[in-house]
């Protein structure tokens, strides 16, 4: 008998259950689908998840779409196949639901680059400024934020702030620099960045462009300016996906986490997608945090309803305001799931 099958749920320690062995002959997809029905659970997955997780998800989307879905779902359990800040956002938007994340260690280098106590001190230097935080930040940072944004709606969010107001933008300096260029607003930037989007090589992308002269280079705004300068299109993951479906080009060099290519290939099977190469020969264009989630962990998290995202009431109450403000502006600007 496999260890996992022998243990009763109430004997499981949050720390230890991920080490359980799963019967390798178990049809995980069938089991996950069964658990979904039994528990009225919904699986929300980000585009950077492994393909097999995307294939079993009920909804796949970018950070904005996932937040909208988390807010509107009537499922009893939200299984978040993404990273910690995304699951926290889902919990803030729907605090009465149980939210589980297959691997609690699935964090985010960008969120980690802006610890709330340091940011609090930084913010005190600019008391009259509006704080706009990219949704890729901790729940605690959201309690210090006036309005959130995602890469889909960031321009609309900045434009919604009265012109005479100063703006602090956290935590992504690359997205911030892109927004300064795009909106003409002068913003104070926090010095944070995403480890995945900072590894692309301008030289290697240039070589690829020469090798595939008809390919379009598409990039995520978390990339550095010298990479964005080369791009034919800049957008969030869902905007990049849409662009590849609607554009007449037949091949694309994709400047973001390579997990998105799965949906691009499903949507446009006759087109070619080339992952933009990193500086080194590593697989650094795969997010090491996102990829901590596996189908096995997804199954275990649904079966044992662990690990659960728990937030203090004050964090939910205070942190939610900036997400609600973002969703209101997004709705008015016509952003749909
Ligand atoms: P979007 O999917 O909202 O574009 O965000 C990308 C990202 O880095 C998520 O961690
Ligand atoms: Fe964070 Fe970057 Fe990974 Fe997104 S891709 S979860 S921003 S580290």
């Amino acid at each position: 008998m496999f260890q996992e099958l022998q243990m009763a749920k109430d004997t499981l320690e949050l720390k230890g259950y991920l080490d359980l062995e799963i019967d390798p002959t178990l049809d995980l997809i069938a089991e996950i689908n069964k658990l979904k029905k039994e528990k009225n659970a919904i699986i929300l997955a980000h585009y950077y998840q492994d393909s097999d997780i995307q294939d079993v998800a009920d909804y796949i989307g970018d950070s904005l779409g996932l937040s909208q879905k988390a807010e509107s779902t009537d499922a009893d359990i939200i299984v978040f196949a993404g990273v910690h800040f995304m699951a926290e956002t889902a919990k803030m938007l729907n605090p009465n639901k149980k939210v589980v994340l297959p691997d609690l260690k699935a964090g985010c280098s960008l969120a980690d680059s802006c610890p709330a106590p340091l940011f609090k001190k930084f913010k005190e230097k600019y008391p009259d400024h509006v704080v706009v935080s990219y949704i890729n930040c901790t729940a605690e940072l959201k309690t210090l934020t006036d309005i959130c944004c995602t890469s889909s709606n960031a321009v609309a969010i900045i434009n919604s702030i009265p012109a005479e107001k100063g703006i602090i933008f956290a935590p992504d300096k690359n997205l911030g620099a892109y927004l300064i260029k795009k909106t003409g607003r002068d913003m104070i930037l926090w010095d944070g960045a995403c480890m995945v989007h900072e590894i692309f090589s301008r030289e290697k992308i240039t070589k690829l462009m020469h090798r595939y002269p008809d390919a379009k280079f598409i990039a995520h705004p978390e990339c550095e300016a010298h990479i964005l300068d080369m791009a034919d299109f800049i957008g969030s993951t869902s905007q990049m996906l849409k662009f590849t479906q609607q554009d007449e080009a037949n091949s694309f060099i994709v400047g973001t986490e390579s997990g998105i290519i799965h949906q691009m290939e499903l949507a446009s099977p006759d087109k070619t997608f080339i992952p933009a190469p990193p500086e080194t020969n590593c697989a650094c264009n795969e997010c090491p945090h996102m990829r901590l989630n596996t189908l096995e962990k997804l199954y275990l998290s649904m079966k044992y309803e662990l690990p659960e995202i728990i937030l203090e009431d004050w964090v939910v109450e205070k942190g939610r305001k900036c997400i609600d403000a973002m969703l209101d502006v997004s709705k008015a600007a016509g952003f749909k799931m």
Side-chain angles (χ1 to χ4, degrees), residues 46-48 61-66 83 85-86 107-108 110 134-136 149-153 172 194 196-197 220-222 235-240 256-257 260 287 290:
H46 189 267
Y47 292 119
Y48 297 164
D62 67 3
S63 307
L64 179 61
L66 288 163
V83 290
F85 76 81
M86 294 179 169
C108 167
L110 183 50
Y134 191 31
I135 201 160
N136 301 31
C149 73
T150 72
S151 47
S152 287
N153 60 19
D172 189 352
C194 159
V196 179
H197 288 90
H220 195 279
E222 285 175 28
S236 71
T237 50
S238 56
Q239 290 165 344
M240 290 168 88
T256 191
E257 215 274 7
I260 182 81
C287 173
M290 286 275 181

Side-chain angles (χ1 to χ4, degrees), residues 81-149:
V83 290
H84 199 269
F85 76 81
M86 294 179 169
E88 277 182 339
T89 304
K91 183 70 184 174
M92 283 191 265
L93 284 167
N94 222 331
N96 296 324
K97 307 283 182 197
K98 185 178 265 188
V99 179
V100 296
L101 179 68
D103 191 327
L104 210 53
K105 292 202 279 299
C108 167
S109 64
L110 183 50
D112 290 348
S113 69
C114 193
L118 288 186
F119 182 77
K120 196 163 180 248
K121 285 214 170 77
F122 177 76
K123 175 184 149 139
E124 279 163 11
K125 289 194 269 178
Y126 311 98
D128 299 327
H129 283 51
V130 174
V131 176
V132 182
S133 293
Y134 191 31
I135 201 160
N136 301 31
C137 65
T138 61
E140 211 183 335
L141 199 84
K142 289 184 176 81
T143 67
L144 302 170
T145 297
D146 295 303
I147 186 163
C148 259
C149 73

